Amino acid sequence: MITHPSYAVEPWSLRETELNLDVLPQSESVFALSNGHVGWRGNLDEGEPHGLPGSYLNGVFELRPLPYAEAGFGYPESGQTVINVTNGKVIRLLVDDEPFDLRYGRLRSHERVLDLRSGLLHRTVVWTSPAGRTVQVRSTRLVSFTQRSIAAIGYEVEPLDSEVRVVLQSELVANEELPDTGGDPRVSAALRSPLRHEEDFAKELRLRLLHRTENSGLRVACAADHVVNGPDTTRTSGESGPDVARLTVTSVLKPGQALRVEKFVSYGWSKVRSRPAVRDQVDAALAAARSTGWQGLVDQQRGYLDDFWARSDVEVEGDAEIQQAVRFALFHVLQAGARAEERAIPAKGLTGSGYDGHSFWDTETFVLPLLTYTSPDAVAEALRWRQSTLPAARQRARQLGLKGATFPWRTVDGQECSAYWPAGTAAFHVNADVADAVVRYVSSTGDEDFERETGVELLVETARLWRSLGHHDHHGRFHIDGVTGPDEYSAVADDNTYTNLMAQANLRAAADAVERHTERAAAMGVDDEETAAWRDAAESMTVPYDGALGVHEQSAGYTGHQVWDFAATKPDQYPLMLHFPYFDIYRKQVVKQADLVLAMYLRGDAFDDEQKARNFAYYEALTVRDSSLSACCQAVMAAEVGHLRLAWDYLGEAALMDLKDLENNTRDGLHIASLAGTWIALVAGFGGMRHREGVLSFAPSLPEKLARLAFTVMVRGRRLRVEITDSVTTYTMVEGAPLEVNHYGRPVTVSDKAPQTLPVPAPAARPEPKQPPGRRPGRRA
Ligand code: BGC
């Protein structure tokens, strides 16, 4: 947990007022910059000390063999691991004859500020060298949202007491040494020297390196250009070798004189393009960035973010920490998805190599809902990426003896990379999660072209999967047996309620979409018989219910299992998966993360109010939240059934997951889904926002601590603002034509001329449910 008090609570920035090397790896994650294509961890400019050096390109990975003690048919043969590509961030400095290294000399002050409105990371350092020379270093870094291949640094050094000779080395470095990763399965496999040299170049102020990965065969290029401003004594020279290209700048500076270097870095990669083509690509991107100039890039960044905040901001009055956290979350989710452009959005974004850089269902179920209502174009891109992986997903389905398509549980490029089938291959729900994201995007944007070109294909292929995976029993009831739901502490169970309800929605949505796009469907060979079979399976879907207890079962027979011995489990034995065998975890009632509770949020129409309250209480007592994906779902349902205080506590956990390093693994990268969950907990939780059958509905209510919550959502090309206080909610159409929404079941038309202010009813009073001993979320003060 990050306990040092150096992160100031500010509404629009994350400020670290002193450097604490103990938490350097965590700070590298929270200060990471990315645009979804290029990602730079918040490593110090001078490269050392570091926790985990990290420069990533979305989609660039290396293959490695997956080890199996016992082989089995259909096991993926190789895994994919994101690699640390060429580091373009490095700017080393020599002050007289001492390297600027914060482990030596005296660090007088060190401040880093991530400005969420400008998208810039600022650093100001005052340092005295062991020989007694004091310098101030100021740097500003950006990864451009507007020029997708570009990152840039403005770097300035100035002596504060006496004249100094400085040598500045601006570098591109490939195959950096990486620290050991230990035995945590959530950490990535560290691949040593994954890049093979192809070309290196240095001329005047320009540098370039070209490499290729050995097994995945991806060509990676990185180039840099510079603008140097200093006194007349300033000289420059360039050199390059297989893994380093370097510009050296020397200067003699008097107090009051500064040496300023602007470094423009461009990245490109390809599996198919030739060496000259990739080389030209990075040179061209660099030329464009140079012509925009440093200030131009800074201005474009601001403009891009002004637009983003105008359509996405969330205002929280009454809890300054949550206010900061939700903007931090929105910013990082935007960074993860903004310019991914037909690539996956990994679970850690491009902030670290945790989970090998894989993307999971996290994208469709957690990240895309936020983006649907704030940056819908990014959602269309993410789903087009899924579509582009259909050939692999179809092949996988055939291998498993199934129809349609089976999307991978974890992947970089669309191939299944999970070596553990009970919580990988068997987690078929990812397919319904993709379908759910399609339906949400189409119904909130009305994007018919997307539905025809992309949506139908995704819905049809997933519907086919469900129809072939499930079966009708002799009573005609439809079952999906032997699957793993979201809760990874149960596996290979029959009729997982979440999976069944999401599959049911998937089957219906596919049948409906086919009726709207008959030609497209016919081209896919869909006929009336097939859609009738989908509707039939949906209508007869099994939803397990324990009549004696009056609760839904997470899967068939679940409530009959022995309950985990929580009393005998010590606090340091969580997460359970690192301390107990799956064999024991699987056969008991203990829930890693919201499963049935998530079903009640995403398929709320399948439960009545009383069932929701009873189910929520039952599963609260079993849920240990060993996944960061859980707290936000519990927040939403706690709010819906009236436990506003508890919902507030869960929101706090989701929101501060990384800022306080609650799971002790922020060093490996940010929990992008949990960050998105901050928004989900506020908007779907306290705003009670749901989207059903094309209509946005709200059932807002605030916890006592909160004086006001306001958020803006994009829906059908409009900007709708919702402002909630303890007694009323006001809906305002900021931009766009009138729209009908639902407030506590009542239709209201909102137009720019007539904001609607409506009363907020008091929540149902129910006794607060209990969690397993020691697993209650921390109480927010
Ligand atoms: C969770 C999964 C999740 C994965 C990546 C696991 O711990 O159980 O649901 O997809 O982490 O975030």
Side-chain angles (χ1 to χ4, degrees), residues 186 347-348 355 358 360-362 366 409 429 486-488 577 592-593 626-629 671 673:
R186 296 165 298 182
K348 304 278 176 196
Y355 281 124
H358 292 163
F360 296 73
W361 71 306
D362 304 33
F366 296 84
W409 175 243
H429 67 85
D487 166 27
E488 294 189 344
M577 77 242 186
K592 180 184 183 190
Q593 64 200 98
D626 280 351
S627 161
S628 66
L629 270 51
H671 299 80

Side-chain angles (χ1 to χ4, degrees), residues 623-658:
T623 304
V624 294
R625 297 194 315 291
D626 280 351
S627 161
S628 66
L629 270 51
S630 201
C632 64
C633 309
Q634 287 169 270
V636 171
M637 285 315 296
E640 181 170 340
V641 302
H643 306 305
L644 294 170
R645 176 67 224 234
L646 180 61
W648 189 237
D649 296 336
Y650 278 133
L651 162 71
E653 187 174 298
L656 300 174
M657 183 63 62
D658 289 311

Side-chain angles (χ1 to χ4, degrees), residues 48-68:
E48 286 178 34
H50 59 230
L52 177 69
S55 304
Y56 308 108
L57 280 173
N58 191 349
V60 173
F61 65 88
E62 181 53 309
L63 293 165
R64 65 185 168 94
L66 288 175
Y68 297 102

Side-chain angles (χ1 to χ4, degrees), residues 213-232:
T213 57
E214 179 113 16
N215 303 310
S216 56
L218 307 179
R219 177 167 283 124
V220 177
C222 180
D225 200 353
H226 300 81
V227 174
V228 177
N229 271 304
D232 294 344

